[in-house]
Amino acid sequence: QVQLVESGGGLVQAGGSLRLSCAASGSIFSIFSINNKGWAWYRQAPGKQRELVATSTTGSTTNYADSVKGRFTISRDNAKNTVYLQMLSLKPEDTAVYYCKLGTRPEYWGQGTQVTVSS
């Protein structure tokens, strides 16, 4: 199966930036089909429901939650089987565990990476 490994989280002050990465690996058969699937980033803060942050479709169409529009950018490097989330002008309310997701039926999830923004 496909495995997604996330990196790039950390602790930053308000107004700072981070870039999250999510790299997919697996069998040749699975990797071959990755580029035909959509990517998404979610986040979940303690005591809150998981929130969809950004999506990138196979046609490179992107969508963002209103709370991050103008600050976050999702991008993908199909050659590297990797999706990124560039996060600028971070706010304390962005603090959460961020998860990447690849595909649907089946879908694959990253392990999560903690982003903490201090005021």
Coordinates of all heavy atoms in Angstrom, one line a residue, residues 2-97:
V2 N 0.2 2.4 -0.2 CA 0.9 3.7 -0.2 C 1.1 4.1 1.2 O 0.2 4.0 2.1 CB 0.1 4.7 -1.0 CG1 0.8 6.1 -0.9 CG2 0.0 4.3 -2.5
Q3 N 2.3 4.7 1.5 CA 2.6 5.3 2.8 C 2.9 6.8 2.6 O 3.6 7.1 1.6 CB 3.8 4.6 3.5 CG 3.5 3.2 3.9 CD 4.7 2.6 4.6 OE1 5.8 2.7 4.1 NE2 4.5 1.9 5.7
L4 N 2.3 7.6 3.4 CA 2.5 9.0 3.4 C 3.3 9.5 4.6 O 2.9 9.2 5.7 CB 1.2 9.8 3.3 CG 0.2 9.4 2.3 CD1 -1.0 10.3 2.3 CD2 0.9 9.5 0.9
V5 N 4.4 10.1 4.4 CA 5.3 10.6 5.5 C 5.3 12.1 5.5 O 5.7 12.7 4.5 CB 6.7 10.0 5.4 CG1 7.6 10.6 6.5 CG2 6.7 8.5 5.4
E6 N 4.9 12.7 6.6 CA 4.8 14.2 6.7 C 6.1 14.7 7.4 O 6.6 14.0 8.3 CB 3.6 14.6 7.5 CG 2.3 14.2 6.8 CD 1.1 14.7 7.6 OE1 1.1 15.8 8.1 OE2 0.1 14.0 7.7
S7 N 6.4 15.9 7.1 CA 7.5 16.6 7.8 C 7.2 18.1 7.7 O 6.4 18.6 6.9 CB 8.8 16.3 7.2 OG 8.9 16.6 5.8
G8 N 8.0 18.9 8.5 CA 8.0 20.3 8.4 C 7.2 21.1 9.5 O 7.3 22.3 9.5
G9 N 6.6 20.4 10.4 CA 5.9 21.0 11.4 C 6.9 21.6 12.5 O 8.1 21.3 12.4
G10 N 6.4 22.3 13.4 CA 7.2 22.9 14.4 C 6.5 24.0 15.2 O 5.3 24.2 15.1
L11 N 7.3 24.7 16.0 CA 6.9 25.8 16.8 C 7.4 27.1 16.2 O 8.6 27.3 16.0 CB 7.4 25.7 18.2 CG 7.1 26.8 19.2 CD1 5.6 27.0 19.4 CD2 7.8 26.6 20.5
V12 N 6.4 28.0 15.9 CA 6.8 29.3 15.4 C 6.0 30.4 16.1 O 5.0 30.2 16.7 CB 6.5 29.4 13.9 CG1 7.4 28.4 13.1 CG2 5.1 29.2 13.6
Q13 N 6.5 31.6 16.0 CA 5.8 32.8 16.5 C 4.7 33.3 15.5 O 4.8 33.0 14.3 CB 6.7 33.9 16.8 CG 7.7 33.7 18.0 CD 8.5 34.9 18.3 OE1 9.1 35.5 17.4 NE2 8.6 35.2 19.6
A14 N 3.7 33.9 16.0 CA 2.7 34.5 15.1 C 3.4 35.4 14.1 O 4.3 36.1 14.4 CB 1.7 35.3 16.0
G15 N 2.9 35.2 12.9 CA 3.5 36.0 11.8 C 4.6 35.2 11.0 O 5.0 35.6 9.9
G16 N 5.0 34.1 11.6 CA 6.0 33.3 11.0 C 5.5 32.4 9.9 O 4.3 32.4 9.5
S17 N 6.3 31.5 9.4 CA 5.9 30.6 8.3 C 6.5 29.3 8.4 O 7.5 29.1 9.1 CB 6.4 31.2 6.9 OG 7.8 31.3 6.8
L18 N 5.9 28.3 7.8 CA 6.3 26.9 7.8 C 5.9 26.3 6.4 O 4.9 26.8 5.9 CB 5.7 26.1 8.9 CG 6.2 26.3 10.3 CD1 5.3 25.5 11.3 CD2 7.6 25.9 10.5
R19 N 6.7 25.3 6.0 CA 6.3 24.6 4.8 C 6.2 23.1 5.2 O 7.2 22.5 5.6 CB 7.2 24.8 3.6 CG 6.7 24.1 2.4 CD 7.6 24.3 1.2 NE 8.7 23.4 1.2 CZ 9.4 23.1 0.1 NH1 9.0 23.5 -1.1 NH2 10.5 22.3 0.3
L20 N 5.0 22.6 5.1 CA 4.8 21.2 5.3 C 5.0 20.4 4.1 O 4.6 20.8 3.0 CB 3.4 20.9 5.9 CG 3.0 21.7 7.1 CD1 1.6 21.3 7.6 CD2 4.0 21.6 8.2
S21 N 5.5 19.2 4.2 CA 5.7 18.3 3.1 C 5.1 16.9 3.4 O 5.0 16.5 4.6 CB 7.2 18.0 2.8 OG 7.9 19.2 2.5
C22 N 4.6 16.3 2.4 CA 4.0 15.0 2.5 C 4.4 14.1 1.3 O 4.0 14.4 0.2 CB 2.5 15.1 2.6 SG 1.6 13.5 2.7
A23 N 5.2 13.2 1.5 CA 5.8 12.3 0.5 C 5.2 11.0 0.5 O 5.1 10.3 1.5 CB 7.3 12.2 0.6
A24 N 4.8 10.5 -0.7 CA 4.2 9.2 -0.8 C 5.2 8.2 -1.3 O 6.0 8.5 -2.2 CB 3.0 9.2 -1.8
S25 N 5.1 7.0 -0.8 CA 5.9 5.9 -1.2 C 5.1 4.6 -1.2 O 4.2 4.5 -0.5 CB 7.2 5.8 -0.4 OG 6.9 5.5 0.9
G26 N 5.6 3.6 -1.9 CA 4.9 2.3 -1.9 C 5.3 1.5 -3.1 O 6.4 1.7 -3.7
S27 N 4.5 0.6 -3.4 CA 4.8 -0.3 -4.6 C 4.8 0.5 -5.9 O 4.2 1.6 -6.0 CB 3.7 -1.4 -4.6 OG 2.5 -0.9 -5.0
I28 N 5.4 -0.1 -6.8 CA 5.5 0.6 -8.2 C 4.0 0.8 -8.7 O 3.7 1.8 -9.2 CB 6.3 -0.2 -9.1 CG1 7.8 -0.2 -8.7 CG2 6.2 0.3 -10.5 CD1 8.7 -1.0 -9.6
F29 N 3.2 -0.2 -8.5 CA 1.8 -0.1 -9.0 C 1.1 1.0 -8.3 O 0.4 1.8 -8.9 CB 1.1 -1.4 -8.7 CG -0.3 -1.4 -9.2 CD1 -0.7 -1.6 -10.5 CD2 -1.3 -1.2 -8.2 CE1 -2.0 -1.6 -10.9 CE2 -2.7 -1.2 -8.6 CZ -3.0 -1.3 -10.0
S30 N 1.3 1.2 -7.0 CA 0.6 2.2 -6.3 C 1.2 3.6 -6.6 O 0.4 4.5 -6.8 CB 0.8 2.0 -4.8 OG 0.1 0.8 -4.4
I31 N 2.5 3.7 -6.7 CA 3.1 5.0 -7.1 C 2.6 5.5 -8.4 O 2.4 6.6 -8.7 CB 4.6 4.9 -7.0 CG1 5.0 4.6 -5.5 CG2 5.3 6.2 -7.5 CD1 4.7 5.7 -4.6
F32 N 2.5 4.5 -9.3 CA 2.1 4.9 -10.7 C 0.8 5.6 -10.8 O 0.6 6.5 -11.6 CB 2.1 3.6 -11.6 CG 1.7 3.9 -13.0 CD1 2.7 4.3 -13.9 CD2 0.5 3.7 -13.5 CE1 2.4 4.5 -15.2 CE2 0.1 3.9 -14.8 CZ 1.1 4.3 -15.7
S33 N -0.1 5.3 -9.9 CA -1.4 5.9 -9.9 C -1.6 7.2 -9.1 O -2.6 7.8 -9.1 CB -2.5 4.9 -9.5 OG -2.3 4.5 -8.2
I34 N -0.5 7.5 -8.3 CA -0.6 8.6 -7.4 C -1.0 9.9 -8.1 O -1.8 10.7 -7.7 CB 0.7 8.8 -6.6 CG1 0.8 7.7 -5.5 CG2 0.8 10.2 -6.0 CD1 2.0 7.8 -4.7
N35 N -0.3 10.2 -9.3 CA -0.5 11.4 -10.0 C -1.9 11.6 -10.5 O -2.3 12.7 -10.9 CB 0.5 11.6 -11.1 CG 1.9 11.7 -10.6 OD1 2.1 11.9 -9.4 ND2 2.9 11.4 -11.5
N36 N -2.7 10.6 -10.5 CA -4.1 10.6 -11.0 C -5.1 10.9 -9.8 O -6.3 10.8 -10.0 CB -4.5 9.4 -11.7 CG -3.7 9.2 -13.0 OD1 -3.5 10.2 -13.7 ND2 -3.4 8.0 -13.3
K37 N -4.5 11.1 -8.6 CA -5.4 11.3 -7.5 C -5.2 12.7 -6.9 O -4.2 13.3 -7.1 CB -5.0 10.2 -6.4 CG -5.2 8.8 -6.8 CD -4.9 7.8 -5.7 CE -5.0 6.4 -6.2 NZ -6.4 6.1 -6.7
G38 N -6.2 13.1 -6.2 CA -6.2 14.4 -5.5 C -5.5 14.3 -4.2 O -5.5 13.3 -3.5
W39 N -5.0 15.5 -3.8 CA -4.3 15.7 -2.5 C -5.2 16.6 -1.6 O -5.9 17.5 -2.1 CB -3.0 16.3 -2.6 CG -1.9 15.4 -3.1 CD1 -1.4 15.4 -4.4 CD2 -1.0 14.5 -2.3 NE1 -0.3 14.5 -4.5 CE2 -0.1 13.9 -3.2 CE3 -1.0 14.1 -1.0 CZ2 0.8 13.0 -2.8 CZ3 -0.1 13.2 -0.6 CH2 0.8 12.7 -1.5
A40 N -5.1 16.4 -0.3 CA -5.8 17.4 0.6 C -4.9 17.5 1.9 O -4.2 16.6 2.3 CB -7.2 16.9 0.9
W41 N -5.1 18.6 2.5 CA -4.5 18.9 3.8 C -5.7 19.1 4.8 O -6.6 19.9 4.5 CB -3.6 20.1 3.9 CG -2.2 19.8 3.3 CD1 -1.8 20.1 2.0 CD2 -1.1 19.2 3.9 NE1 -0.5 19.7 1.8 CE2 -0.1 19.2 3.0 CE3 -0.9 18.7 5.2 CZ2 1.2 18.7 3.3 CZ3 0.4 18.2 5.5 CH2 1.4 18.2 4.5
Y42 N -5.6 18.5 5.9 CA -6.6 18.7 7.0 C -5.8 19.1 8.2 O -4.6 18.9 8.3 CB -7.3 17.4 7.3 CG -8.3 16.9 6.2 CD1 -7.9 16.2 5.1 CD2 -9.7 17.2 6.4 CE1 -8.7 15.8 4.1 CE2 -10.6 16.7 5.4 CZ -10.1 16.0 4.3 OH -11.0 15.6 3.4
R43 N -6.5 19.6 9.2 CA -6.0 19.9 10.5 C -7.0 19.6 11.6 O -8.2 19.7 11.4 CB -5.4 21.3 10.6 CG -6.5 22.4 10.5 CD -5.8 23.8 10.5 NE -6.8 24.9 10.5 CZ -6.5 26.1 10.3 NH1 -5.2 26.5 10.2 NH2 -7.5 27.1 10.3
Q44 N -6.5 19.3 12.8 CA -7.3 19.1 13.9 C -6.7 19.6 15.2 O -5.6 19.2 15.5 CB -7.6 17.6 14.1 CG -8.6 17.3 15.1 CD -9.1 15.8 15.1 OE1 -8.4 14.9 14.6 NE2 -10.3 15.6 15.5
A45 N -7.4 20.5 15.8 CA -6.9 21.0 17.1 C -7.6 20.2 18.2 O -8.6 19.6 18.0 CB -7.3 22.5 17.2
P46 N -6.9 20.2 19.4 CA -7.5 19.5 20.5 C -8.9 19.9 20.8 O -9.2 21.1 20.9 CB -6.5 19.8 21.6 CG -5.2 20.1 21.0 CD -5.6 20.8 19.7
G47 N -9.8 18.9 20.9 CA -11.2 19.2 21.3 C -12.0 19.7 20.1 O -13.2 20.0 20.3
K48 N -11.5 19.7 18.9 CA -12.2 20.2 17.8 C -12.3 19.2 16.7 O -11.4 18.2 16.7 CB -11.6 21.5 17.2 CG -11.6 22.7 18.2 CD -11.0 23.9 17.5 CE -11.1 25.1 18.5 NZ -10.5 26.3 17.8
Q49 N -13.2 19.3 15.8 CA -13.3 18.4 14.7 C -12.3 18.7 13.6 O -11.7 19.8 13.5 CB -14.7 18.5 14.0 CG -15.9 18.0 14.9 CD -17.2 18.0 14.2 OE1 -17.5 19.0 13.5 NE2 -17.9 16.9 14.2
R50 N -12.0 17.6 12.9 CA -11.0 17.7 11.8 C -11.6 18.7 10.7 O -12.7 18.7 10.4 CB -10.8 16.4 11.2 CG -9.7 16.4 10.1 CD -9.5 14.9 9.6 NE -10.7 14.4 9.0 CZ -10.8 13.1 8.7 NH1 -9.8 12.2 8.8 NH2 -12.0 12.7 8.2
E51 N -10.7 19.6 10.3 CA -11.1 20.6 9.3 C -10.3 20.5 8.0 O -9.1 20.3 8.0 CB -10.8 22.0 9.9 CG -11.0 23.2 9.0 CD -10.5 24.5 9.6 OE1 -9.6 24.4 10.5 OE2 -10.9 25.6 9.1
L52 N -11.0 20.6 6.9 CA -10.4 20.6 5.6 C -9.7 21.9 5.4 O -10.4 23.0 5.4 CB -11.4 20.3 4.5 CG -10.8 20.3 3.1 CD1 -9.8 19.2 2.9 CD2 -12.0 20.1 2.1
V53 N -8.4 21.9 5.1 CA -7.7 23.2 4.9 C -7.5 23.5 3.5 O -7.7 24.7 3.1 CB -6.3 23.1 5.6 CG1 -5.5 24.3 5.4 CG2 -6.5 22.8 7.1
A54 N -7.1 22.6 2.7 CA -6.8 22.8 1.3 C -6.8 21.6 0.5 O -6.6 20.5 1.0 CB -5.4 23.5 1.1
T55 N -7.2 21.7 -0.8 CA -7.2 20.6 -1.7 C -6.5 20.9 -3.0 O -6.5 22.1 -3.4 CB -8.6 20.1 -2.1 OG1 -9.3 21.2 -2.7 CG2 -9.4 19.7 -0.8
S56 N -6.0 19.9 -3.7 CA -5.4 20.0 -5.0 C -5.8 18.8 -5.8 O -5.5 17.7 -5.5 CB -3.9 20.1 -4.9 OG -3.3 20.1 -6.2
T57 N -6.6 19.1 -6.9 CA -7.1 18.1 -7.7 C -6.1 17.6 -8.8 O -5.0 18.3 -8.9 CB -8.4 18.5 -8.4 OG1 -8.1 19.5 -9.4 CG2 -9.4 19.1 -7.4
T58 N -6.4 16.6 -9.5 CA -5.5 16.1 -10.6 C -5.3 17.2 -11.7 O -4.3 17.1 -12.4 CB -6.0 14.8 -11.2 OG1 -7.3 15.0 -11.7 CG2 -6.0 13.7 -10.1
G59 N -6.3 18.1 -11.8 CA -6.2 19.2 -12.8 C -5.5 20.4 -12.2 O -5.6 21.5 -12.8
S60 N -5.0 20.3 -11.0 CA -4.3 21.4 -10.3 C -5.2 22.5 -9.9 O -4.8 23.6 -9.6 CB -3.2 22.0 -11.2 OG -2.2 21.0 -11.5
T61 N -6.5 22.2 -9.8 CA -7.4 23.1 -9.2 C -7.3 23.1 -7.7 O -7.2 22.0 -7.1 CB -8.9 22.8 -9.6 OG1 -9.0 22.8 -11.0 CG2 -9.8 23.7 -8.9
T62 N -7.2 24.2 -7.1 CA -7.0 24.3 -5.6 C -8.1 25.0 -5.0 O -8.8 25.9 -5.5 CB -5.7 25.1 -5.3 OG1 -5.7 26.4 -5.8 CG2 -4.5 24.4 -5.9
N63 N -8.4 24.6 -3.7 CA -9.4 25.2 -2.9 C -8.9 25.3 -1.5 O -8.1 24.5 -1.0 CB -10.7 24.4 -2.9 CG -11.4 24.4 -4.2 OD1 -12.1 25.4 -4.5 ND2 -11.3 23.4 -5.1
Y64 N -9.4 26.3 -0.8 CA -8.9 26.6 0.5 C -10.0 27.0 1.5 O -11.0 27.5 1.0 CB -7.9 27.8 0.5 CG -6.7 27.6 -0.3 CD1 -6.7 28.0 -1.7 CD2 -5.5 27.0 0.2 CE1 -5.5 27.8 -2.4 CE2 -4.4 26.8 -0.6 CZ -4.4 27.2 -1.9 OH -3.3 27.0 -2.7
A65 N -9.8 26.6 2.7 CA -10.8 27.1 3.7 C -10.7 28.6 3.8 O -9.6 29.2 3.6 CB -10.4 26.4 5.1
D66 N -11.8 29.2 4.1 CA -11.8 30.7 4.3 C -10.8 31.2 5.3 O -10.2 32.3 5.1 CB -13.2 31.2 4.6 CG -14.2 31.1 3.5 OD1 -13.7 30.9 2.3 OD2 -15.4 31.1 3.8
S67 N -10.5 30.4 6.3 CA -9.6 30.8 7.4 C -8.2 30.9 6.9 O -7.4 31.6 7.6 CB -9.8 29.9 8.6 OG -9.5 28.6 8.2
V68 N -7.8 30.3 5.8 CA -6.4 30.3 5.4 C -6.2 30.9 4.0 O -5.1 31.0 3.6 CB -5.8 28.8 5.4 CG1 -6.1 28.2 6.7 CG2 -6.5 28.0 4.3
K69 N -7.3 31.3 3.3 CA -7.1 31.9 2.0 C -6.2 33.1 2.1 O -6.3 34.0 3.0 CB -8.5 32.3 1.5 CG -9.3 31.1 1.0 CD -10.6 31.6 0.4 CE -11.4 30.5 -0.2 NZ -12.8 30.9 -0.7
G70 N -5.3 33.2 1.1 CA -4.4 34.3 1.1 C -3.1 34.1 1.9 O -2.2 34.9 1.7
R71 N -3.1 33.1 2.7 CA -2.0 32.8 3.6 C -1.3 31.5 3.3 O -0.1 31.3 3.4 CB -2.4 32.9 5.0 CG -2.9 34.2 5.5 CD -3.1 34.3 7.0 NE -4.1 33.3 7.5 CZ -3.8 32.3 8.3 NH1 -2.6 32.1 8.8 NH2 -4.8 31.4 8.6
F72 N -2.1 30.5 2.9 CA -1.6 29.1 2.7 C -1.7 28.8 1.2 O -2.6 29.3 0.5 CB -2.5 28.1 3.4 CG -2.3 28.1 4.9 CD1 -1.7 29.1 5.6 CD2 -2.9 27.0 5.6 CE1 -1.6 29.0 7.0 CE2 -2.8 27.0 7.0 CZ -2.1 28.0 7.7
T73 N -0.7 28.0 0.7 CA -0.7 27.6 -0.6 C -0.4 26.1 -0.7 O 0.6 25.6 -0.1 CB 0.4 28.3 -1.5 OG1 0.1 29.7 -1.4 CG2 0.4 27.9 -2.9
I74 N -1.2 25.3 -1.4 CA -1.0 23.9 -1.6 C -0.4 23.8 -3.0 O -0.8 24.4 -3.9 CB -2.3 23.1 -1.5 CG1 -2.0 21.6 -1.6 CG2 -3.3 23.5 -2.5 CD1 -3.2 20.7 -1.2
S75 N 0.6 22.9 -3.1 CA 1.2 22.6 -4.3 C 1.7 21.2 -4.4 O 1.8 20.5 -3.3 CB 2.4 23.6 -4.6 OG 3.4 23.4 -3.6
R76 N 1.9 20.7 -5.5 CA 2.3 19.3 -5.7 C 3.4 19.2 -6.7 O 3.5 19.9 -7.7 CB 1.1 18.4 -6.1 CG 0.5 18.8 -7.4 CD -0.9 18.2 -7.6 NE -0.9 16.8 -7.7 CZ -2.0 16.0 -7.6 NH1 -3.2 16.6 -7.5 NH2 -1.9 14.7 -7.7
D77 N 4.3 18.2 -6.4 CA 5.4 17.9 -7.3 C 5.2 16.4 -7.7 O 5.6 15.5 -6.9 CB 6.8 18.1 -6.7 CG 7.9 17.9 -7.6 OD1 7.7 17.2 -8.6 OD2 9.0 18.4 -7.4
N78 N 4.6 16.2 -8.8 CA 4.2 14.9 -9.2 C 5.4 14.0 -9.4 O 5.4 12.8 -9.1 CB 3.4 14.9 -10.5 CG 2.0 15.4 -10.2 OD1 1.4 15.3 -9.1 ND2 1.4 15.9 -11.3
A79 N 6.5 14.6 -9.9 CA 7.8 13.8 -10.1 C 8.3 13.2 -8.8 O 8.9 12.2 -8.8 CB 8.8 14.6 -10.8
K80 N 8.1 14.0 -7.7 CA 8.5 13.5 -6.4 C 7.4 12.9 -5.6 O 7.7 12.5 -4.4 CB 9.1 14.7 -5.6 CG 10.3 15.4 -6.2 CD 10.8 16.5 -5.4 CE 12.0 17.2 -6.0 NZ 13.2 16.3 -6.1
N81 N 6.2 12.8 -6.1 CA 5.1 12.2 -5.4 C 4.9 12.9 -4.1 O 4.7 12.2 -3.0 CB 5.3 10.7 -5.2 CG 5.4 9.9 -6.5 OD1 4.6 10.1 -7.4 ND2 6.4 9.0 -6.6
T82 N 4.9 14.2 -4.1 CA 4.9 15.0 -2.9 C 4.0 16.1 -3.0 O 3.8 16.7 -4.1 CB 6.3 15.5 -2.5 OG1 7.2 14.4 -2.4 CG2 6.3 16.3 -1.3
V83 N 3.3 16.4 -1.9 CA 2.4 17.6 -1.8 C 3.0 18.5 -0.7 O 3.6 18.0 0.3 CB 1.0 17.2 -1.5 CG1 0.8 16.6 -0.2 CG2 0.1 18.4 -1.7
Y84 N 2.8 19.8 -0.9 CA 3.3 20.8 0.1 C 2.2 21.7 0.6 O 1.2 21.9 -0.1 CB 4.4 21.6 -0.5 CG 5.6 20.8 -1.1 CD1 5.6 20.5 -2.5 CD2 6.6 20.4 -0.3 CE1 6.6 19.8 -3.0 CE2 7.7 19.7 -0.9 CZ 7.7 19.4 -2.2 OH 8.7 18.7 -2.8
L85 N 2.4 22.2 1.7 CA 1.5 23.3 2.2 C 2.4 24.4 2.7 O 3.0 24.2 3.8 CB 0.6 22.8 3.3 CG -0.5 23.8 3.8 CD1 -1.5 24.1 2.7 CD2 -1.2 23.3 5.0
Q86 N 2.5 25.5 2.0 CA 3.2 26.6 2.4 C 2.3 27.5 3.3 O 1.2 27.9 2.8 CB 3.7 27.4 1.2 CG 4.5 28.7 1.5 CD 5.8 28.4 2.2 OE1 6.6 27.6 1.6 NE2 6.1 28.9 3.4
M87 N 2.8 27.8 4.5 CA 1.9 28.5 5.4 C 2.6 29.8 5.8 O 3.7 29.7 6.4 CB 1.7 27.6 6.7 CG 1.2 26.2 6.4 SD 1.4 25.0 7.8 CE 0.2 25.7 8.9
L88 N 2.0 30.9 5.5 CA 2.6 32.2 5.8 C 1.7 32.9 6.8 O 0.5 32.6 6.9 CB 2.7 33.0 4.5 CG 3.4 32.4 3.3 CD1 3.4 33.4 2.1 CD2 4.9 32.1 3.7
S89 N 2.2 33.9 7.4 CA 1.5 34.8 8.3 C 0.7 33.9 9.3 O -0.5 34.1 9.5 CB 0.6 35.7 7.6 OG 1.3 36.5 6.7
L90 N 1.4 33.0 9.9 CA 0.7 32.1 10.8 C 0.1 32.8 12.0 O 0.7 33.7 12.5 CB 1.7 31.0 11.3 CG 1.9 29.9 10.2 CD1 3.2 29.1 10.5 CD2 0.7 29.0 10.1
K91 N -1.0 32.3 12.4 CA -1.8 32.8 13.6 C -1.9 31.7 14.7 O -1.8 30.5 14.3 CB -3.2 33.3 13.2 CG -3.2 34.3 12.0 CD -4.6 34.6 11.6 CE -4.7 35.6 10.5 NZ -6.1 35.8 10.0
P92 N -2.1 32.1 15.9 CA -2.3 31.1 17.0 C -3.4 30.1 16.7 O -3.3 29.0 17.0 CB -2.5 32.0 18.2 CG -1.8 33.2 17.9 CD -2.0 33.5 16.5
E93 N -4.4 30.6 16.0 CA -5.6 29.7 15.7 C -5.2 28.7 14.6 O -6.0 27.8 14.3 CB -6.8 30.5 15.3 CG -6.5 31.6 14.2 CD -6.3 33.0 14.8 OE1 -5.6 33.1 15.8 OE2 -6.9 33.9 14.3
D94 N -4.1 28.8 14.0 CA -3.6 27.8 13.1 C -3.0 26.6 13.8 O -2.7 25.6 13.1 CB -2.6 28.3 12.1 CG -3.1 29.4 11.2 OD1 -4.3 29.2 10.7 OD2 -2.4 30.4 10.9
T95 N -2.8 26.7 15.1 CA -2.2 25.6 15.9 C -3.1 24.3 15.8 O -4.3 24.4 16.1 CB -2.1 26.0 17.3 OG1 -1.1 27.1 17.4 CG2 -1.6 24.8 18.2
A96 N -2.5 23.2 15.3 CA -3.2 22.0 15.1 C -2.2 20.9 14.7 O -1.1 21.2 14.4 CB -4.3 22.2 14.1
V97 N -2.7 19.7 14.6 CA -2.0 18.7 14.0 C -2.5 18.6 12.5 O -3.7 18.6 12.3 CB -2.2 17.3 14.6 CG1 -1.5 16.2 13.8 CG2 -1.7 17.3 16.0

